Amino acid sequence: MLRFVSVLTAIGWLVSTSVRAQPGSLQQREINLNTYLQELFPVQIEGIDYQSVYDGLTQLYANPLNLNTASRDELAATYLLSERQLSSLIEYRTLYGDLLAVQELQAVPAFDLPTIRRLLPFVTVATGKGVFGGLPTPTDNFFILRYEQVLEQQKGFSPAIPDKKGQLPTRYVGNSQQWYARYRYSRPGAFSVGLTAEKDPGEVAGWQPIKRQYGADYVSFHLQVQNRRRWRNIVVGDYQLQIGQGLILSSGFVLGKSSETVQTVRRSTLGARPYTSLTEYGYFRGGAATYAINANFDLTLMAARNRRDANTTPGAADEGLVATSLQTSGLHRTPSEIDDQASLLETNLGAHLLYHNRQQLQLGLTALQTTYDKLFRKRDLAYNQYEFTGHRNLVIGLHGGYVWRNWNLFGELARSAGSQTNSGGVGFVGGALTSLTKRLDMALILRHYDRNFHSFYANAFSESGRNSNETGLYLGTKYVIYRKLTVGGFIDFFRFPWLKYLVDTPSSGFDYLMQARYTPDRQTSFSVVYHDEYKEKNLPSDSRNKRVVGTTRRSFVLSAQYVPLRNLMLQSRAQWGSFGYAGQSASQGFALVQDATLSWRRVNVTARVALFGTDDYDSRQYVYERDVLYAFSFPAYFNRGIRHYVLFQYALSQHLDLWMRWARTDITNQPTVGSGLDLIDKPHKTEVKAQLRWRF
């Protein structure tokens, strides 16, 4: 009875506050994913694939977690809950059973309203019969169609005029339109069916089964069934796997270093997940299945065959064609890009055995073998000396984790073995997360990846973005001074024992970040972030001697969000950055950004005006932009100019939603925009985009 009263009180209070809340109330699950990412990455950090992070976030958003059945690992993968909050929620479910509504989180010890608001878009509640009756897990059944185009003519789409020798210049083979279509029908925890198709600007759409083209240049599909007796998960089609700390298999919403300085360093074991991204690499095409041997052991088996884009060149007489690099852009617009398309056949076979018990002990054994149909050998350059060479690579590893009170200990150890002698390296990552007090959270992580450790689908915590040739130590902390003011930061030391691209000696460095966030009320928030990074790189002005010197990159961001009227939200942002080589003056840049969002009935309009100026590309300023649902916009502002856009969203009916976006960049110090085949012979660039979503 006491729980029933507290739940009713929490729900009543939260609903009443949501009635008075700003646009995007507590009960509305849809959020602006780009704004959410901007809060996580207020400054640019090298080594992070932001497109992949966004793709992982959209998959997390499209598959909300059931708070009554989600494991600790699944909840931790949102990076929104501290160790204390995770322990409190698990204990609350054990004591009281299923939650009756999402708003009941207010009754869970250690949960506060800001945390619940951030968590809402990524969770749901499905329970059996209770006080309010049965609440079945909702289904998601929709179709999306998107069109976008740059209005000015880019060089790649201009007429091909022969030169003096009669040779035609390179041009894109297709038109300048971009099309995207997606269908998905799913019920979280039960099943998912999806189909995605995309044609990029410059590509040709056509039906050529002999070339494995079925309409659009890129087609992705999946079929998933979950929780059928002992079969926990079966996926056919395109998928990814997230296992251990990502030293062998990593996917999904993986952050690394960000403004969330504690929770994001650890990876969660989530198993196989459908792949619905537009990023045309980093996934498996085949099948994976997880079977519960008993209450404590799960076995996952996977198999896949992918045709990868790769540069190939004739090898020795007995070698045939040799693949020298993988192409990850997914673009097939020019004859050379088309030649690289699907030129390398890759076969993957893998297995994962997982032990877990109620005491939150987790142990796992993972193996993945990758085989190429051609010899893979990178160019004969000094920094490639320890890179993978051969037809086959095998990676075997152990991972584990243990939760004790508010401590979470984790780690993974793996070894690679290739078909030639330059493999055989070891990779290790391990650390701890803890809530030392109700106000203080900390993270510590150590990693070491040999220069000849090769793991093609890894994305464990690192500085360089590759789990090879790196040793490092990271310390992160977050402290709640009081409920309205939070401070945090991290410091990370790293060393690269061998050469890297544009770094012709072993090198080292460190970076640190400090931040503070003040939220005086529900309508207002302020944040400040400072980031400093020290690395070593080749000095461009001394290319003959390839002298390596220190570099410094600094970033400072001040932002504010406020709601002057019930339906109007304003966001202001000022940022500054610099980059310089030791002994030389630094390149500097800034951006001043003003956003406004107006929500009225079924209409939502967002507009931005941004003023920017940089000395050159080295001091470019990255700023997230709001975009249509499931689209990603994170342009680099450089040179001097103005950037503005308007995004219009209208709910035409209960089933049909419309988005329209217009964006333009005007450069004031250059007569052109872009370079290469993307060059526009005018000082401005205009982009238009339209999207429809039909919800069945």
Side-chain angles (χ1 to χ4, degrees), residues 92-105:
Y92 186 89
R93 290 192 320 197
T94 302
L95 290 174
Y96 299 112
D98 288 347
L99 277 71
L100 305 178
V102 175
Q103 289 84 356
E104 190 180 344
L105 288 171

Side-chain angles (χ1 to χ4, degrees), residues 45-50 459 462-466 535:
I45 298 176
E46 289 190 2
I48 294 178
D49 185 344
Y50 293 98
N459 190 17
S462 69
E463 162 62 23
S464 65
R466 297 180 65 236
K535 280 185 174 180

Side-chain angles (χ1 to χ4, degrees), residues 231-520:
W231 291 101
R232 295 190 185 275
N233 191 13
I234 300 174
V235 184
V236 177
D238 295 343
Y239 63 94
Q240 290 181 316
L241 289 122
Q242 173 63 49
I243 302 294
Q245 295 309 303
L247 203 49
I248 298 177
L249 292 164
S250 179
S251 68
F253 188 39
V254 176
L255 294 181
K257 290 190 284 188
S258 69
S259 66
E260 174 46 65
T261 54
V262 176
Q263 299 302 128
T264 57
V265 302
R266 179 186 176 274
R267 311 290 190 254
S268 298
T269 296
L270 304 176
R273 313 182 81 183
Y275 187 74
T276 60
S277 167
L278 292 181
T279 303
E280 299 179 30
Y281 72 97
Y283 63 91
F284 298 105
R285 176 162 290 179
T290 300
Y291 182 78
I293 300 174
N294 55 39
N296 299 114
F297 283 93
D298 292 342
L299 175 64
T300 299
L301 300 175
M302 61 82 63
R305 284 171 69 90
N306 293 60
R307 290 196 171 272
R308 302 290 302 274
D309 294 354
N311 287 135
T312 58
T313 186
D318 59 340
E319 293 177 337
L321 286 178
V322 175
T324 59
S325 65
L326 297 176
Q327 301 300 310
T328 59
S329 69
L331 298 173
H332 311 114
R333 308 160 301 175
T334 64
S336 60
E337 291 175 347
I338 294 172
D339 288 343
D340 294 340
Q341 185 175 7
S343 59
L344 183 66
L345 178 62
E346 176 187 284
T347 303
N348 285 279
L349 297 172
H352 175 239
L353 180 64
L354 177 66
Y355 170 80
H356 51 91
N357 66 8
R358 294 182 179 180
Q359 284 70 45
Q360 298 299 310
L361 172 65
Q362 199 179 86
L363 296 171
L365 172 65
T366 311
L368 177 67
Q369 178 177 278
T370 303
T371 305
Y372 295 130
D373 69 335
K374 296 180 178 65
L375 175 65
F376 189 93
R377 182 176 60 216
K378 291 198 171 183
R379 292 183 301 162
D380 186 17
L381 298 171
Y383 66 86
N384 285 333
Q385 181 176 339
Y386 294 96
E387 292 290 337
F388 170 78
T389 298
H391 287 272
R392 186 181 67 256
N393 188 62
L394 175 66
V395 193
I396 300 176
L398 292 168
H399 70 87
Y402 183 72
V403 176
W404 178 72
R405 295 182 179 177
N406 296 323
W407 283 82
N408 192 328
L409 308 176
F410 56 90
E412 186 169 11
L413 174 68
R415 184 179 187 274
S416 64
S419 55
Q420 295 197 12
T421 57
N422 66 334
S423 195
V426 172
F428 168 77
V429 58
L433 300 177
T434 180
S435 293
L436 293 174
T437 70
K438 292 182 179 180
R439 297 178 180 268
L440 180 62
D441 297 329
M442 295 191 70
L444 177 70
I445 188 165
L446 172 69
R447 75 269 190 189
H448 171 78
Y449 314 124
D450 283 344
R451 68 192 74 177
N452 60 338
F453 175 68
H454 305 134
S455 186
F456 304 147
Y457 287 88
N459 190 17
F461 187 92
S462 69
E463 162 62 23
S464 65
R466 297 180 65 236
N467 298 147
S468 180
N469 185 36
E470 179 178 332
T471 299
L473 176 65
Y474 172 98
L475 175 65
T477 183
K478 182 168 62 175
Y479 183 69
V480 181
I481 298 177
Y482 72 111
R483 63 185 182 86
K484 295 182 179 181
L485 179 60
T486 302
V487 297
F490 70 73
I491 186 167
D492 185 37
F493 298 92
F494 43 84
R495 182 170 61 88
F496 308 112
W498 185 242
L499 320 185
K500 298 176 59 184
Y501 177 64
L502 297 181
V503 188
D504 287 313
T505 65
S507 60
S508 61
F510 70 93
D511 71 327
Y512 64 90
L513 179 145
M514 299 180 294
Q515 66 166 356
R517 185 175 184 85
Y518 176 57
T519 309

Side-chain angles (χ1 to χ4, degrees), residues 577-592:
S578 69
F579 176 83
Y581 293 88
Q584 297 184 358
S585 58
S587 167
Q588 300 189 51
F590 75 92
L592 302 175

